[in-house]
Amino acid sequence: MDSKAAPPLPKRQKKLRLAQRVGLNRAPVAHEMQPCSAHPPAPAPALAATDKVKADCTASSVASVAEAAASCAPASRAAATQGATAAAPQVGRPWTVSVALPGSIVDNAQTQELRSYLVGQVARACAIFNVDEIVLFETEASRRVASDDHKGRTSGCVFTARLLQYLECPQYLRKQCFPHHPDLRSVGLIPPLDAPHHLRVDESCAYREAVVVERANAKAGSCFVYTGLPKELKLNVEVPVGTRLTLQMPRVGGKGTAKAVAPREPREEAGLYWGYQVRIAPSLSAVWSECPYQGGYDCSIGTSEHGSNALSDGSFRLPNFAHLLVVFGGVEGLEPVVAADDSLAECEDDVACLFDHYLNLCPSQGSRTIRTEEALLVGMATLRPFIEKAHAHSA
């Protein structure tokens, strides 16, 4: 009998093999830290790929430090929503939505103003659709542009990450959290996010963002924080100056003191959208392998004009996920990015096997190309009803 070529691997078997290689189902990541009086703030995890950005934006990338501060002040985590605005939802949201896109999307912009405005469009879209994490992955195109750039411009990933973090930070904290930098020269052109955690001085909420300030009368085991209110608050925990924290505020007219909590608590306990985290991934495969969530992403969606039109047949459903990841391509699309990643070589001829769903979110498009910032708005608007329906029973 003539020998025949081995049949192609089924999609599930191929995905399991990829999982072992790039960590699609990797072991849980430990986030909890010991009390911060014994540990200095950890390096900013969101931008671990770039030391320069870490030095500039440490205070705005605060997940690890805030976790530490929360562990320093053990207290009841009961839902505290009486001071929240009337429009805020009253039920917690344990699940998250992450978006991944190439940092090279700003490389085609000719001026600093255009680059900044493009990042603003991405930030606004993510805030509108309650995105909890933005992952910027590097591509061969972005590395090539960075090596050939003789204008002294910051690389696309670093530039985008810095502006995204700046825009996410409440306005009253930016002066303390962000030193002057050339990349921030044109941020005045960007419309503000006006997110729920960007509180005005006359607004009350169960939670508020703050930054630790220097005070001569601060004693050991305590610190003072600025929350955008006329009076600074004292915390019974020692945190380094310049650290950004999430505070649970005392009830209006009631007794008690503010205390530091994890940045995820406003979302998990009160259902408030509390901004997004930003991280840089050195490759597309690292989007999964460096996932900060325990257990990784349990549902992933790839977007491409070559994807399935399953959304239009009425039978498409999303599972009751814990952490959803939606991946968008750049100018060249997702296929060349996958082909250039050695860790994803098995998916070069079948990009769909990398995702749980590989979808065309804008069929019958009238333009040959859809820009990434446009695809982000169209895609998230299209997916929003399916995301809400997946968790409708828990509302």
Side-chain angles (χ1 to χ4, degrees):
M1 177 181 283
D2 295 336
S3 60
K4 295 183 179 179
L9 288 172
K11 180 176 179 179
R12 179 63 180 167
Q13 185 177 350
K14 186 180 293 186
K15 190 166 186 178
L16 288 174
R17 183 174 293 184
L18 281 168
Q20 296 175 350
R21 179 175 301 170
V22 302
L24 298 183
N25 296 309
R26 69 193 194 97
V29 179
H31 288 290
E32 299 298 330
M33 295 175 58
Q34 296 300 318
C36 47
S37 57
H39 290 267
L47 299 176
T50 311
D51 292 337
K52 184 177 180 182
V53 177
K54 283 196 296 183
D56 289 349
C57 303
T58 300
S60 66
S61 184
V62 295
S64 297
V65 176
E67 291 280 0
S71 68
C72 291
S76 171
R77 293 288 180 85
T81 58
Q82 287 196 355
T85 56
Q90 297 299 309
V91 64
R93 175 169 68 89
W95 46 274
T96 66
V97 177
S98 298
V99 162
L101 61 157
S104 59
I105 60 172
V106 298
D107 290 337
N108 289 332
Q110 290 83 7
T111 66
Q112 171 94 348
E113 291 77 11
L114 289 175
R115 292 179 104 201
S116 300
Y117 192 78
L118 194 155
V119 176
Q121 290 179 292
V122 172
R124 288 277 304 169
C126 290
I128 288 170
F129 294 106
N130 298 345
V131 171
D132 304 292
E133 182 195 29
I134 303 176
V135 189
L136 304 169
F137 57 87
E138 294 186 351
T139 62
E140 285 298 321
S142 64
R143 297 187 190 97
R144 186 166 56 251
V145 170
S147 62
D148 294 340
D149 194 350
H150 303 295
K151 300 178 182 178
R153 297 194 304 181
T154 307
S155 69
C157 273
V158 177
F159 178 88
T160 305
R162 179 176 285 116
L163 265 66
L164 286 175
Q165 287 192 327
Y166 180 88
L167 294 170
E168 186 277 336
C169 183
Q171 288 91 331
Y172 59 85
L173 297 183
R174 290 173 181 173
K175 184 177 179 180
Q176 293 90 341
C177 293
F178 290 87
H180 290 286
H181 193 280
D183 288 351
L184 304 176
R185 188 177 69 241
S186 301
V187 291
L189 300 174
I190 304 174
L193 298 190
D194 204 18
H197 64 299
H198 291 199
L199 294 164
R200 281 78 167 175
V201 68
D202 59 343
E203 289 181 315
S204 62
C205 183
Y207 300 91
R208 203 172 185 98
E209 291 297 287
V211 65
V212 181
V213 295
E214 189 171 3
R215 283 280 292 268
N217 59 340
K219 299 179 181 179
S222 66
C223 67
F224 287 87
V225 295
Y226 174 65
T227 61
L229 299 175
K231 187 177 179 180
E232 295 175 354
L233 300 179
K234 181 181 179 181
L235 299 182
N236 296 321
V237 58
E238 189 173 352
V239 182
V241 173
T243 302
R244 179 179 158 187
L245 299 173
T246 301
L247 301 184
Q248 184 181 29
M249 303 294 287
R251 296 191 179 188
V252 177
K255 296 181 180 180
T257 59
K259 54 181 176 288
V261 299
R264 65 176 182 270
E265 182 170 316
R267 168 179 56 82
E268 292 182 346
E269 299 294 335
L272 297 168
Y273 176 64
W274 213 247
Y276 50 75
Q277 296 291 324
V278 183
R279 69 180 173 96
I280 292 177
S283 63
L284 180 58
S285 58
V287 172
W288 283 272
S289 63
E290 298 178 2
C291 173
Y293 297 117
Q294 227 176 13
Y297 304 109
D298 56 346
C299 183
S300 61
I301 298 175
T303 64
S304 171
E305 62 178 332
H306 306 295
S308 165
N309 291 328
L311 292 177
S312 59
D313 63 12
S315 62
F316 179 79
R317 295 290 186 275
L318 282 177
N320 190 345
F321 58 84
H323 304 293
L324 172 67
L325 172 68
V326 186
V327 183
F328 295 87
V331 177
E332 69 278 10
L334 274 178
E335 290 79 10
V337 178
V338 173
D341 194 327
D342 294 337
S343 300
L344 304 177
E346 294 184 21
C347 283
E348 183 176 352
D349 298 326
D350 184 16
V351 178
C353 74
L354 185 59
F355 305 95
D356 296 304
H357 304 282
Y358 196 55
L359 303 175
N360 181 1
L361 299 180
C362 188
S364 305
Q365 62 192 56
S367 174
R368 292 189 182 92
T369 57
I370 298 180
R371 297 172 62 89
T372 305
E373 65 273 20
E374 298 166 344
L376 186 59
L377 274 171
V378 173
M380 296 308 296
T382 303
L383 291 173
R384 185 169 191 169
F386 300 97
I387 295 174
E388 293 178 346
K389 190 177 296 185
H391 294 276
H393 67 280
S394 61

